[in-house]
């Protein structure tokens, strides 16, 4: 699925992603620096009802958000020097069955991260961003179909 999103529509698209992924999902967010990965992650968390600000986990590597309906882990691996560093934050202890994982710079955690359900890639478009979603599991494909249906409605 590919969609072009203007900046003002990013919040709504993030909400749609969060609603589709409520049953748990690993979402890898790809794109160059400044492409909007953190902004989109923030929109997903806020769209699910987080009442406060959503801070970037650039220095902490992960920020958890415990919501009424789900748990969201927002990972930013940009500053990760070695994938083995994920052992220090207890990566294997994070819930992969029920929580939503939003993972920025997943390539930096290669070999230590669970396989994604969805790989989301952001690139520059005329008036905003082009977002491509690829399913990497049955759950991911079903969630992308739900995103597409909700977005087109």
């Amino acid at each position: 699925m590919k969609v072009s999103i203007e900046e003002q529509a990013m919040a709504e698209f993030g909400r749609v992603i969060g609603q589709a992924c409520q049953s748990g999902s690993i979402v890898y967010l790809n794109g160059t620096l400044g492409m909007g990965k953190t902004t989109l992650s923030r929109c997903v968390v806020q769209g699910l009802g987080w009442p406060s600000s959503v801070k970037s986990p650039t220095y902490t590597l992960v920020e958890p958000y415990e919501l009424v309906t789900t748990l969201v882990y927002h990972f930013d691996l940009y500053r990760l020097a070695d994938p083995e560093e994920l052992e220090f934050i207890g990566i294997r202890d994070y819930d992969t069955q029920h929580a939503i994982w939003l993972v920025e710079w997943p390539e930096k955690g290669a070999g230590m991260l669970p396989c994604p359900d969805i790989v989301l890639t952001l690139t520059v478009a005329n008036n905003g961003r082009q977002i491509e979603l690829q399913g990497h599991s049955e759950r991911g494909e079903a969630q992308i179909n739900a995103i597409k249906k909700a977005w087109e409605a």
Side-chain angles (χ1 to χ4, degrees):
M1 170 184 173
K2 286 186 183 180
V3 62
S4 291
I5 302 287
E6 293 181 8
E7 191 171 334
Q8 62 270 22
M10 191 73 85
E12 178 61 19
F13 194 71
R15 186 192 65 74
V16 168
I17 291 172
Q19 292 297 318
C21 295
Q22 286 238 357
S23 63
S25 187
I26 311 293
V27 181
Y28 286 3
L29 292 103
N30 294 319
T32 58
L33 196 61
M35 200 52 50
K37 297 177 296 296
T38 300
T39 298
L40 185 58
S41 296
R42 184 175 290 125
C43 292
V44 170
V45 174
Q46 289 175 329
L48 287 169
W50 185 253
S52 305
S53 64
V54 176
K55 56 186 176 175
S56 173
T58 300
Y59 293 100
T60 59
L61 296 181
V62 63
E63 287 292 334
Y65 297 94
E66 194 168 334
L67 301 158
V68 173
T69 57
T70 193
L71 180 62
V72 178
Y73 297 115
H74 179 197
F75 295 88
D76 184 339
L77 307 183
Y78 180 72
R79 298 196 182 282
L80 200 67
D82 185 298
E84 293 288 325
E85 291 177 42
L86 290 172
E87 286 292 340
F88 298 120
I89 67 166
I91 194 76
R92 296 175 201 270
D93 296 329
Y94 287 90
D95 182 358
T96 57
Q97 296 302 309
H98 304 99
I100 298 171
W101 284 37
L102 303 171
V103 185
E104 298 182 44
W105 303 98
E107 66 277 8
K108 298 209 175 221
M112 297 298 293
L113 294 172
C115 294
D117 293 299
I118 297 172
V119 173
L120 186 149
T121 304
L122 292 118
T123 54
V124 175
N126 292 340
N127 294 327
R129 300 289 184 257
Q130 179 171 308
I131 300 174
E132 181 178 358
L133 296 132
Q134 296 177 320
H136 285 255
S137 69
E138 283 185 37
R139 176 173 29 192
E141 288 290 341
Q143 290 170 340
I144 288 172
N145 287 335
I147 292 166
K148 183 176 181 180
K149 183 178 178 182
W151 188 247
E152 292 174 351

